[in-house]
C-alpha cells in the first residue's frame, strides 16, 4: 500500500525546455505513438496513423476502415487491430500489409509483437499467434482477453483475462499455465529479465507474479486505474500511471517489489495519464491529465517541463530507440517533438 505524498510546486516553477518543442497539430484523436525509423507514428482512434518527421511534417496513412483498438511496435513495424476484424502492419516506409482477418469479423481487442517477428492478436476469448516458423495457432481462455504480451525470451505469450493470466507456449504441446488472481486483468507485461509478470486491473491496482514460484505481488494503493506502464532501462523499475505522482516499483532484487514501498516522483495537482521510460538512461517522461509533460530523473526526481498544463489529457508518449527524440500528443491530437 502506498503512503501519502506532498504535492510539489506547480509546473510554472520547474526548469523548462518548452521553447525547444516543435509543435504538432494532427487534427485527430490520438491513442498512442511509436517510432518507426526516424519518424514518429501517431496512432489515431479512427482509421489513420500520422507519420511526423523531425521537421514536423505530417503524412497520414489509412490503416483500418474503422476504429483502431490496439497497437504494438518493435521499432521496425507497427501492428494494429481494428473493429473491422483485421490485423494490419505498417512499416517505416508507410506501407500497409494485411496480416490476418478474424473469420467472424470480431473486434481485434489486443495485439502483441515479438522480437523475432512473431505476432499475436485476440478476438473475444481467443488468442492467436503467427510466426514465420509456426503455423497459426489459437488458444481459448475462460473469458474475454484483456491484454497480450510476449516474453522477452522464448516464444511464450501472456494472456490477461478475468480472474488471472494464462501463460502459453504455442509451439509446444501440453496445456497452458494459469496464474489465478480474482478480478479483471487488462494490460500485461513481462519484466525484461523474464522473471516477473505484471498485469493492470480494472480496479485501481496492479498484480504481479514471480514466475519462478508464481508467488503473488500485490501492488495496490492507486486512486485510479493504471492505464500505462513502462520499464526503466535495464528493467530495474516499473513506472506506472494512475496517481497524482509517477509510481515507480522496484524490481532490481530477486523479490521484486515484495515488501517494498514504491518511489513517488513528480507529484502535481493532476493525475499521471501516460509514462515512457528512456531506452538507455535512468530518466522518464510522464504526461498528465491536465496536459503537462515532464521529464524526470529517477535517481532524485529532478524535473524538466516539456509542456505546460491547460490542455486535454496527454494520451501518447514515446522515445525513439536512441533516446534522442521525445514525441507526445494529447487526446485531441495536439502535441510535439522534442529533440535532445
Amino acid at each position: 500500500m502506498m503512503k501519502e505524498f506532498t504535492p510539489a510546486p506547480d509546473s510554472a516553477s520547474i526548469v523548462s525546455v518548452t521553447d525547444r518543442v516543435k509543435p504538432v497539430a494532427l487534427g485527430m484523436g490520438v491513442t498512442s505513438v511509436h517510432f518507426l525509423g526516424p519518424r514518429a507514428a501517431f496512432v489515431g482512434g479512427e482509421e489513420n496513423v500520422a507519420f511526423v518527421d523531425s521537421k514536423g511534417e505530417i503524412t497520414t496513412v489509412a490503416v483500418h476502415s474503422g476504429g483502431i483498438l490496439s497497437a504494438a511496435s518493435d521499432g521496425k513495424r507497427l501492428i494494429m487491430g481494428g473493429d473491422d476484424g483485421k490485423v494490419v502492419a505498417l512499416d517505416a516506409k508507410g506501407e500497409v500489409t494485411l496480416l490476418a482477418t478474424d473469420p467472424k469479423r470480431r473486434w481485434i481487442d489486443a495485439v502483441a509483437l515479438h522480437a523475432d517477428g512473431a505476432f499475436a492478436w485476440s478476438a473475444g476469448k481467443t488468442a492467436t499467434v503467427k510466426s514465420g516458423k509456426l503455423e497459426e495457432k489459437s488458444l481459448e481462455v475462460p473469458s474475454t482477453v484483456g491484454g497480450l504480451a510476449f516474453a522477452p525470451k522464448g516464444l511464450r505469450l501472456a494472456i490477461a483475462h478475468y480472474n488471472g493470466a494464462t501463460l502459453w507456449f504455442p509451439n509446444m504441446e501440453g496445456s497452458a499455465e494459469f496464474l489465478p488472481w480474482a478480478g479483471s486483468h487488462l494490460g500485461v507485461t513481462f519484466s525484461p529479465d523474464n522473471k516477473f509478470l505484471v498485469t493492470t486491473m480494472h480496479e485501481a491496482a496492479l498484480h504481479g507474479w514471480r514466475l519462478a514460484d508464481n508467488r503473488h505481488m500485490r501492488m495496490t494503493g492507486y486512486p485510479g486505474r493504471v492505464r500505462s506502464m513502462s520499464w526503466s532501462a535495464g528493467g530495474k523499475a516499473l513506472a506506472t500511471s494512475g496517481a497524482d505522482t509517477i509510481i515507480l516499483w522496484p524490481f532490481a532484487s530477486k523479490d521484486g517489489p515484495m515488501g517494498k514501498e514504491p518511489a513517488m516522483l513528480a507529484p502535481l495537482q493532476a493525475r499521471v495519464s501516460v509514462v515512457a521510460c528512456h531506452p538507455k538512461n535512468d530518466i522518464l517522461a510522464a504526461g498528465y491529465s491536465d496536459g503537462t509533460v515532464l521529464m524526470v530523473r529517477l535517481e532524485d526526481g529532478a524535473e524538466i517541463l516539456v509542456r505546460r498544463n491547460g490542455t486535454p489529457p496527454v494520451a501518447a508518449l514515446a522515445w525513439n530507440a536512441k533516446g534522442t527524440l521525445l514525441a507526445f500528443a494529447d487526446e485531441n491530437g495536439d502535441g510535439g517533438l522534442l529533440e535532445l
Side-chain angles (χ1 to χ4, degrees):
M1 185 71 67
M2 288 177 268
K3 298 176 181 177
E4 294 295 322
F5 64 89
T6 302
D10 64 33
S11 59
S13 64
I14 301 172
V15 175
S16 174
V17 292
T18 55
D19 59 339
R20 291 171 51 187
V21 173
K22 189 177 298 294
V24 175
L26 299 165
M28 65 179 187
V30 171
T31 58
S32 64
V33 60
H34 313 263
F35 275 91
L36 295 179
R39 296 193 293 176
F42 290 88
V43 179
E46 297 281 341
E47 299 183 359
N48 298 321
V49 171
F51 278 111
V52 181
D53 63 19
S54 59
K55 297 179 182 178
E57 295 182 0
I58 301 171
T59 304
T60 301
V61 180
V63 293
H64 282 282
S65 59
I68 304 172
L69 306 179
S70 50
S73 177
D74 60 1
K76 299 177 182 178
R77 60 178 179 163
L78 177 61
I79 305 292
M80 291 161 287
D83 64 9
D84 55 5
K86 296 179 180 180
V87 182
V88 302
L90 177 67
D91 66 17
K93 297 179 181 179
E95 296 179 355
V96 180
T97 304
L98 176 63
L99 299 178
T101 302
D102 184 75
K104 299 178 183 178
R105 296 283 178 169
R106 294 174 295 177
W107 290 8
I108 308 300
D109 300 306
V111 293
L113 190 54
H114 194 281
D116 71 358
F119 60 95
W121 70 94
S122 71
K125 299 179 182 180
T126 304
T128 303
V129 171
K130 179 75 172 69
S131 79
K133 304 174 184 177
L134 178 75
E135 64 182 31
E136 190 175 296
K137 288 193 175 183
S138 296
L139 178 73
E140 185 167 309
V141 293
S143 58
T144 300
V145 175
L148 301 171
F150 279 108
K153 299 175 183 177
L155 191 64
R156 179 165 62 163
L157 183 70
I159 308 166
H161 49 79
Y162 191 72
N163 282 344
T166 296
L167 297 179
W168 178 39
F169 285 96
N171 58 354
M172 295 175 63
E173 296 297 329
S175 61
E177 181 182 6
F178 176 55
L179 303 177
W181 187 259
S184 180
H185 299 257
L186 303 175
V188 60
T189 180
F190 283 92
S191 62
D193 62 8
N194 216 35
K195 294 180 180 179
F196 302 94
L197 186 76
V198 179
T199 61
T200 61
M201 300 191 68
H202 182 74
E203 63 184 90
L206 302 179
H207 192 76
W209 294 266
R210 184 171 63 185
L211 296 176
D213 54 8
N214 293 348
R215 186 175 171 185
H216 294 286
M217 302 183 299
R218 296 204 66 184
M219 303 160 72
T220 62
Y222 290 88
R225 277 175 55 188
V226 179
R227 301 177 185 274
S228 177
M229 300 185 288
S230 180
W231 291 98
S232 68
K236 295 179 180 179
L238 178 65
T240 68
S241 67
D244 299 340
T245 175
I246 302 161
I247 305 300
L248 195 69
W249 294 96
F251 277 85
S253 74
K254 65 181 178 63
D255 294 327
M258 295 179 192
K260 301 182 180 71
E261 295 286 346
M264 297 182 177
L265 306 179
L268 288 180
Q269 298 294 334
R271 189 162 292 178
V272 178
S273 55
V274 60
V275 290
C277 289
H278 192 279
K280 300 181 182 297
N281 300 318
D282 285 336
I283 60 175
L284 61 78
Y288 291 76
S289 60
D290 66 353
T292 301
V293 177
L294 295 176
M295 286 192 296
V296 184
R297 191 163 55 198
L298 303 189
E299 180 183 4
D300 58 5
E303 304 164 16
I304 296 177
L305 181 66
V306 177
R307 188 197 205 200
R308 300 190 186 281
N309 61 6
T311 64
V314 179
L317 197 61
W319 300 91
N320 67 348
K322 296 180 180 179
T324 55
L325 274 174
L326 176 66
F328 63 88
D330 62 30
E331 291 179 350
N332 289 351
D334 291 321
L337 289 174
L338 174 64
E339 187 171 0
L340 301 175

